[in-house]
């Protein structure tokens, strides 16, 4: 019998940070991941990680205010206070573990400016910060000898008497189904970027954990809050880091004007992401773009700076667009990047289901509200990953393993898989359905939204579900059956699509990333509250929760 005090689903930054923390507290910990840990999407994070260090003349309360304002006042301020006040210690401990952050001229940890913030407080490793941190955490994980179920795919959460007590999972190398029993399970499964086409996210980012928790009865919160990043590469949608604008790059329209002057005269290119994305999209929509794009100009930054600090996007420009960013402006457009919503959880990662925790991008604590500040997500993963790991380890010490019928759990999971494999080969392929779904949701749930667009998306989801039920898995084997895995992922994506669409229709105002042409104003009287979706036997149930305000009353938001 496979069993662990703390079972962590996901080996990105949130999962690995949680694992290291739970191990420190003496728990028997395991991590399960559908890919090798360092292939998790956290690896792709470019620009950096925020913290206000007092000895740098910064103050965590300023970071907290910038985060509250960035969220368009939807984030819970008590959670933001925890994240921002603990950020400094987490950065220093990452440094002590071995992350080689860039230095300033004096040899101290260096910072760069990032959007929506009054001070330069983003710590970075060139423009591959995620990779640098992820590899250091992986070293810690290996040193701790925490068990890693590598290339295992979670099929379901096991809920017994309302408590989460493990998972069913398929070992991809053999196709065998297992139950892993656990006193506590922490979901660290990342976002749902690939529900949209294009997206800056890796192909593995398919919302599995949100869908698993949703199916198990945990509410998803703020799911309408989808972040479109202002600068994604024409065509492929690959991310061009905000670090470029942090280093001083300009946004230009077809006449060569720095159009941000009109939209955010003070912060210009470094206004918060929702504001810059709306500006870029408006330029494109009103005919001042070039071929569906605007331009990001790095030329004046000079070859030396670009090669030292923006090396990743230098190669991205060359490899994905055939341009030399030292000599040419980059054609970019706003593109899907991040989900602020997720499994509703608290500052220790606890969800509404006892024994089930969630942290990282799959969770909604909520610290990002309507719009996440760049470089606050890596911070979210390490602060709340650590807290969830500690909490789950302590709780597990007081618990016994729950008894349940393991054989019937395995049988049920096996039967569900067999049903998919037994379909004949006349149905559709998952890939076509997934692409069509991504294009449709990008069309109706992009930078600007309307009631009619979202309603038509809701209707088309019924069609997509029917197509999904008709998908055939042509590989009938058991060993590394990616055909089967990708089909299962599509099922998870459809659940997330449902929650996103319903939440979007529900919120009848514009706030943060949820910008509605039919309700263009923020409406604090009626909508200063969270939208939650819970799966019930009668269908999805929409409810609300108040926003926690501590120090910062909502104000008009200007940059
Ligand atoms: C291109 C890009 C650049 C970014 N740059 C920055 C930045 O500079 N600063 C910043 O703050 N944020 C940035 N972000 C956002 C940030 O990187 C992510 O929000 C964060 O890394 C998510 O970490 P995570 O640990 O929650 O999830 P992930 O790193 O996505 O990890 C998810 C894990 O879950 C596992 N998993 C998922 N489903 C299953 C399943 N069914 N069974 C088993 N395992 C499963 C996966 O194998 C993986 O290990 C960026 C994002 C992207 C896409």
């Amino acid at each position: 019998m496979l069993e662990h005090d703390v079972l962590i689903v996901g080996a990105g930054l949130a999962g690995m940070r949680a694992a290291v923390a739970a191990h420190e507290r003496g728990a028997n910990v395991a991590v399960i991941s559908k890919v090798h840990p360092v292939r998790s999407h956290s690896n792709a994070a470019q620009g950096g990680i925020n913290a206000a260090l007092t000895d740098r003349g910064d103050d965590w309360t300023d970071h907290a205010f910038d985060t509250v304002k960035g969220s368009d006042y939807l984030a819970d301020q008590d959670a933001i206070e925890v994240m921002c006040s603990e950020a400094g210690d987490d950065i220093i401990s990452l440094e002590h573990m071995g992350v080689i952050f860039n230095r300033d001229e004096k040899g101290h940890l260096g910072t760069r400016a990032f959007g929506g913030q009054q001070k330069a407080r983003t710590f970075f490793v060139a423009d591959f910060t995620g990779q640098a941190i992820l590899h250091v955490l992986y070293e810690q994980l290996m040193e701790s000898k925490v068990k890693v179920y590598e290339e295992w795919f979670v099929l379901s959460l096991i809920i017994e008497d309302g408590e989460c007590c493990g998972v069913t999972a398929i070992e991809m190398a053999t196709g065998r189904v297992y139950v892993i029993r656990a006193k506590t399970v922490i979901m660290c499964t990342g976002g749902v970027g690939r529900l949209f086409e294009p997206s800056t996210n890796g192909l593995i980012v398919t919302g599995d954990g949100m869908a698993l928790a949703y199916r198990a009865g945990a509410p998803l919160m703020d799911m309408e809050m989808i972040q479109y990043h202002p600068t994604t590469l024409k065509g492929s949608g690959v991310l061009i880091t905000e670090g470029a604008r942090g280093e001083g790059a300009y946004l230009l329209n077809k006449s060569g004007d720095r159009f941000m002057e009109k939209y955010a005269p003070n912060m210009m290119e470094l206004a918060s992401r929702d504001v810059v994305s709306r500006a870029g999209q408006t330029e494109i929509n009103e005919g001042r773009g070039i071929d569906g794009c605007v331009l990001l100009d790095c030329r004046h930054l000079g070859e030396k700076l670009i090669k030292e600090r923006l090396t990743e996007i230098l190669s991205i420009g060359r490899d994905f667009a055939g341009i030399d960013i030292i000599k040419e402006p980059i054609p970019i457009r706003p593109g899907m990047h991040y989900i602020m919503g997720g499994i509703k959880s608290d500052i220790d990662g606890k969800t509404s289901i006892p024994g089930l925790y969630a942290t990282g991008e799959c969770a909604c604590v909520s610290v990002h509200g309507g719009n996440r500040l760049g470089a606050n997500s890596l911070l979210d993963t390490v602060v709340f990953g650590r807290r969830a790991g500690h909490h789950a380890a302590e709780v597990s010490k007081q618990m016994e393993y729950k008894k349940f019928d393991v054989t019937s759990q395995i049988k049920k999971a096996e039967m569900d898989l067999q049903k998919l494999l037994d379909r004949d080969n006349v149905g559709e392929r998952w890939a076509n359905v997934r692409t069509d779904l991504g294009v449709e949701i990008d069309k109706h749930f992009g930078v600007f939204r309307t009631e009619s667009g979202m309603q038509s998306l809701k209707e088309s989801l019924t069609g997509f579900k029917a197509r999904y039920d008709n998908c055939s898995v042509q590989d009938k084997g058991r060993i590394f059956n990616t055909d089967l895995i990708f089909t299962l992922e599509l099922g998870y994506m459809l659940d997330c699509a449902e929650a996103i669409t319903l939440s979007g229709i529900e919120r009848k105002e514009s706030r943060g990333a949820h910008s509605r042409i039919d309700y263009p104003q923020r409406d604090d009287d009626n909508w200063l509250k969270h939208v939650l979706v819970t799966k019930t036997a009668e269908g999805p149930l929409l409810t609300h929760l108040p926003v926690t305000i501590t120090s910062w009353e909502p104000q008009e938001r200007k940059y």
Side-chain angles (χ1 to χ4, degrees):
M1 179 76 209
L2 306 174
E3 56 185 23
H4 302 279
D5 295 339
V6 182
L7 177 65
I8 294 163
V9 185
L13 282 178
M16 290 213 249
R17 189 65 194 86
V20 170
H23 173 78
E24 268 166 19
R25 294 285 163 101
N28 162 4
V29 184
V31 177
I32 179 164
S33 174
K34 65 181 178 181
V35 295
H36 183 280
V38 299
R39 294 192 61 220
S40 303
H41 185 66
S42 294
N43 194 50
Q46 298 176 349
I49 177 165
N50 291 329
L53 296 189
T54 327
D55 62 1
R56 266 344 115 74
D58 204 351
D59 191 320
W60 73 260
T61 57
D62 292 341
H63 180 196
F65 171 68
D66 288 343
T67 304
V68 170
K69 181 177 170 188
S71 83
D72 216 348
Y73 295 89
L74 185 66
D76 288 329
Q77 297 181 8
D78 51 348
I80 289 181
E81 288 175 0
V82 168
M83 180 174 80
C84 296
S85 63
E86 296 182 4
D89 286 347
D90 272 304
I91 297 292
I92 301 299
S93 71
L94 287 174
E95 210 259 335
H96 290 177
M97 286 178 199
V99 178
I100 313 166
F101 287 112
N102 273 53
R103 301 272 160 176
D104 64 16
E105 316 74 56
K106 292 188 189 139
H108 297 144
L109 293 184
T111 51
R112 62 162 48 122
F114 243 62
Q117 306 194 61
Q118 304 296 322
K119 290 214 174 79
R121 60 169 72 94
T122 303
F123 296 88
F124 63 103
V125 184
D127 56 353
F128 44 81
T129 313
Q131 183 177 23
I133 304 177
L134 196 70
H135 280 256
V136 165
L137 281 178
Y138 187 54
E139 288 163 12
Q140 301 289 313
L141 198 72
M142 286 195 295
E143 194 189 10
S144 67
K145 304 214 164 38
V146 160
K147 167 78 186 163
V148 181
Y149 295 96
E150 196 175 298
E151 296 181 329
W152 283 47
F153 183 87
V154 173
L155 300 167
S156 69
L157 295 175
I158 299 170
I159 309 288
E160 208 50 38
D161 304 328
E163 287 177 32
C164 181
C165 42
V167 305
T168 62
I170 178 166
E171 180 187 30
M172 288 160 68
T174 61
R176 271 189 68 180
V177 172
Y178 290 87
V179 158
I180 309 180
R181 195 148 73 145
K183 294 178 183 169
T184 51
V185 174
I186 311 182
M187 303 305 276
C188 303
T189 45
V192 64
R194 277 292 155 177
L195 177 56
F196 292 67
E197 283 301 329
S199 161
T200 64
N201 285 207
L203 292 167
I204 54 171
V205 187
T206 49
D208 306 8
M210 294 180 207
L212 287 165
Y214 183 55
R215 289 175 188 179
L220 303 179
M221 185 161 95
D222 296 345
M223 292 296 280
E224 70 280 20
M225 295 304 180
I226 301 285
Q227 177 163 80
Y228 270 60
H229 191 290
T231 60
T232 70
L233 196 60
K234 180 183 176 178
S236 62
V238 176
L239 181 75
I240 304 294
T241 177
E242 188 167 306
R245 281 171 288 138
E247 297 292 347
Y250 302 147
L251 284 170
L252 305 176
N253 63 17
K254 75 172 181 194
S255 319
D257 299 329
R258 278 180 76 185
F259 57 83
M260 284 311 299
E261 234 154 40
K262 254 189 318 193
Y263 303 92
N266 298 318
M267 302 278 286
M268 298 285 286
E269 282 85 358
L270 288 178
S272 72
R273 284 185 178 168
D274 57 331
V275 174
V276 184
S277 283
R278 275 193 290 279
Q281 194 63 51
T282 304
E283 292 295 301
I284 295 166
N285 292 353
E286 294 180 355
R288 292 183 295 279
I290 305 165
D291 197 14
C293 291
V294 284
L295 299 172
L296 180 71
D297 194 350
C298 298
R299 290 174 296 182
H300 56 287
L301 303 180
E303 185 168 345
K304 182 170 180 294
L305 183 142
I306 291 176
K307 284 192 167 159
E308 272 173 26
R309 295 184 162 205
L310 298 171
T311 145
E312 196 67 12
I313 63 164
L314 178 65
S315 28
I316 289 171
R318 188 191 54 222
D319 299 344
F320 290 92
I323 54 170
D324 178 356
I325 72 164
I326 298 170
K327 299 192 184 123
E328 297 159 272
I330 316 170
I332 48 92
R333 65 169 204 115
M336 193 290 176
H337 181 56
Y338 183 83
I339 181 160
M340 275 70 77
I343 308 161
K344 190 202 167 345
S345 63
D346 70 8
I347 52 170
D348 291 314
K350 297 200 296 299
T351 70
S352 63
I353 300 179
L356 182 68
Y357 291 69
T359 184
E361 193 171 336
C362 72
C364 182
V365 182
S366 68
V367 285
H368 308 303
N371 170 70
R372 168 176 74 86
L373 292 185
N376 262 358
S377 170
L378 294 190
L379 180 61
D380 170 2
T381 65
V382 294
V383 171
F384 294 108
R386 168 180 53 75
R387 292 181 66 100
H390 282 161
H391 198 278
E394 294 299 338
V395 163
S396 303
K397 284 183 194 162
Q398 324 294 328
M399 290 170 73
E400 298 294 321
Y401 285 105
K402 221 175 161 64
K403 293 210 168 51
F404 57 86
D405 184 352
V406 173
T407 319
S408 78
Q409 288 286 347
I410 295 183
K411 247 193 204 149
K412 178 170 183 315
E414 287 277 9
M415 252 165 53
D416 289 347
L417 293 181
Q418 201 55 48
K419 260 193 236 155
L420 275 176
L421 293 169
D422 284 347
R423 286 186 194 160
D424 53 29
N425 279 349
V426 295
E428 268 201 271
R429 306 289 290 138
W430 62 267
N432 295 337
V433 183
R434 176 166 154 164
T435 308
D436 292 350
L437 172 67
V439 169
E440 186 73 6
I441 197 160
D442 180 65
K443 184 164 135 203
H444 296 300
F445 223 88
V447 177
F448 296 108
R449 303 162 188 177
T450 60
E451 181 75 21
S452 59
M454 290 186 290
Q455 287 292 355
S456 96
L457 178 61
K458 185 180 161 191
E459 278 157 36
S460 63
L461 285 182
T462 316
F464 282 115
K465 281 181 191 158
R467 285 175 66 184
Y468 176 66
D469 290 338
N470 188 38
C471 274
S472 54
V473 179
Q474 294 184 355
D475 179 351
K476 306 292 182 196
R478 277 297 169 129
I479 294 170
F480 255 104
N481 190 341
T482 48
D483 200 13
L484 176 67
I485 298 292
F486 296 159
T487 306
L488 293 167
E489 285 178 344
L490 179 59
Y492 294 147
M493 292 165 110
L494 280 163
D495 281 358
C496 294
E498 171 179 283
I500 289 169
T501 310
L502 294 177
S503 306
I505 295 170
E506 176 78 351
R507 183 175 290 283
K508 294 187 175 43
E509 64 156 356
S510 286
R511 182 185 299 271
H514 189 58
S515 191
R516 290 187 60 150
I517 291 167
D518 42 359
Y519 295 93
Q521 302 304 325
R522 192 176 85 193
D523 175 4
D524 288 336
D525 291 338
N526 295 303
W527 288 102
L528 187 60
K529 58 187 178 190
H530 300 286
V531 174
L532 290 86
V533 197
T534 313
K535 201 174 179 73
T536 70
E538 291 76 45
L541 173 73
L542 287 155
T543 53
H544 301 133
L545 268 182
V547 172
T548 307
I549 309 264
T550 56
S551 304
W552 300 280
E553 286 300 323
Q555 300 167 10
E556 194 192 342
R557 191 157 159 261
K558 283 195 190 135
Y559 285 99

